[in-house]
Amino acid sequence: MYQAKAYSVASATSPFASDTIARRDPNENDVKIEILFCGVCHSDLHYSRNEWSAVMPATYPCVPGHEIVGRVVKVGAAVTKFKAGDLAGVGCLVDSDRTCSACQAGLEQFCPGQVLTYGFPDKHLGGVTYGGYSESIVVDERFVVGIPSNLNLAAAAPLLCAGITTYSPMRHWGVGAGKKVGVVGLGGLGHMGVKFAHALGAHTVVFTTSANKAEDALRLGADEVVLSRDAAQMQKHTGSFDFLLDTVSADHDINAYIQLLARDGNMTLVGAPEKPLSFSSFGLIVGRRSISGSPIGGLAETQEMLDFCGEHNFASDVEVIAMQQIDEAYARLLKADVKYRFSIDMASLKG
Ligand SMILES: NC(=O)c1ccc[n+]([C@@H]2O[C@H](COP(=O)([O-])OP(=O)(O)OC[C@H]3O[C@@H](n4cnc5c(N)ncnc54)[C@H](OP(=O)(O)O)[C@@H]3O)[C@@H](O)[C@H]2O)c1
Ligand SMILES: [Zn+2]
Ligand SMILES: [Zn+2]
């Protein structure tokens, strides 16, 4: 066991503070990673402020962060995929039971025995797992992915959650050429959704509440932008979408979007607002439309997504911040004021 510098919150209402956490020394299948960048996901905010208390109550102290990229500094004797010096990434999962049908299918995101990167029981050290707002992390190699060498590291970090969470449902629902696809909310997840929908060849439409993001939406790959608070603009798209990806982090009216789905169209919710959403059954009935959800993605698909980004040479659009700016970053997330992901430069933790 060793001590690592980290940033934690002590309660749902505390600001972040410098802290020291215990990490295990690498076991034979483990990879020790010096964290270089960690993305700031809105889930970090929901969780650390205990907004998900009904389904996933928070444990304190809490060290969030599940968009981790860094350099391998040490590996256990049985590790085969990584060696010291390699670039590596860790997302939302650090372990699973490895035996259930989901794990066998490479769908660890559905494993009932999954261990999330923070706030889950740590079977090695007791207590709970601590995330990437930290100088290093030790993870079984099975839950570590490779980072394509052509990607900027600060920009690659958000792929580990925002990337896979948008890529996975788009692949599942057949997003591609000839499909009309909408992305609702242009934040961390949303802007990655736009990049993927565009790269997969779909006609891509962005729905935003922020007029000042319209130009960026087009630059990111959108074919059209709709200001979602303008009913007339919304109306023009009635009954036309094959697929909608809703990434909104706060309460909003999803009925307005259900109306936009074509016959048999699907809207997948990846946004996880604190309060339940409500919708009218009729919106679904009339067009045999469906609503579904989707959590992150499995390890194999996460690597596939990273390789896809490497081949197409894109990652996230990031604002790089110091660890010490994290409270300010959360305040800006709540105002939908980030272009389009904060990525923490972990060198700031050493200062
Ligand atoms: N399913 C999963 O596995 C998974 C994984 C990661 C994150 N999440 C969840 O996905 C959500 C988005 O995460 P994120 O990191 O992308 O957050 P984010 O960067 O804060 O983006 C959320 C976007 O939602 C829009 N928005 C915010 N408040 C709104 C409101 N009141 N009405 C309408 N639109 C609003 C804004 O876009 P505009 O300015 O364009 O309107 C904002 O940029 C969070 O709830 C997060 O917990 C889920
Ligand atoms: Zn996340
Ligand atoms: Zn399993």
Side-chain angles (χ1 to χ4, degrees), residues 55-78:
V55 282
M56 204 189 274
T59 308
Y60 299 98
C62 166
V63 178
H66 55 208
E67 296 184 332
I68 298 166
V69 295
R71 198 166 289 284
V72 174
V73 289
K74 202 173 178 184
V75 297

Side-chain angles (χ1 to χ4, degrees), residues 26 43 101 108 144-145 156 162 170 230 264 274 319 324 334 342:
S43 301
S101 63
E108 296 88 352
V144 181
V145 287
M170 286 196 180
D230 181 334
D264 291 324
E274 179 176 4
E319 291 188 44
Q324 294 76 5
L334 287 174
F342 294 113

Side-chain angles (χ1 to χ4, degrees), residues 10-34:
S11 77
T13 52
S14 310
F16 275 91
S18 176
D19 199 355
T20 305
I21 55 170
R23 295 287 196 197
R24 67 180 183 268
D25 291 315
N27 293 321
E28 63 172 4
N29 296 110
D30 286 340
V31 174
K32 178 177 175 182
I33 298 166
E34 179 198 6

Side-chain angles (χ1 to χ4, degrees), residues 24 66 90-98 103 108-124 127-130 139 143 296 299:
R24 67 180 183 268
H66 55 208
V90 176
C92 300
L93 295 167
V94 291
D95 209 348
S96 70
D97 65 15
R98 300 155 193 227
C103 286
E108 296 88 352
Q109 72 270 36
F110 301 112
C111 176
Q114 67 183 201
V115 179
L116 296 185
T117 304
Y118 56 83
F120 258 55
D122 182 336
K123 64 186 173 209
H124 300 273
V128 295
T129 51
Y130 294 126
V139 180
F143 294 85
I296 50 170
L299 271 295

Side-chain angles (χ1 to χ4, degrees), residues 189-269:
L189 266 58
H191 94 290
M192 286 313 307
V194 174
K195 291 188 187 206
F196 286 127
H198 174 74
L200 290 165
H203 181 86
T204 306
V205 182
V206 166
F207 294 90
T208 181
T209 60
S210 306
N212 67 351
K213 295 181 182 173
E215 241 174 73
D216 283 342
L218 298 172
R219 176 180 58 76
L220 292 164
D223 297 289
E224 297 179 64
V225 184
V226 173
L227 298 180
S228 52
R229 288 185 176 138
D230 181 334
Q233 284 190 41
M234 293 287 282
Q235 190 101 45
K236 280 189 198 147
H237 293 272
T238 299
S240 67
F241 280 89
D242 298 295
F243 180 71
L244 288 168
L245 187 71
D246 185 333
T247 76
V248 175
S249 54
D251 193 26
H252 61 295
D253 177 22
I254 60 170
N255 294 291
Y257 293 100
I258 293 171
Q259 298 304 328
L260 306 188
L261 290 170
R263 187 179 73 238
D264 291 324
N266 169 267
M267 173 153 90
T268 291
L269 307 175

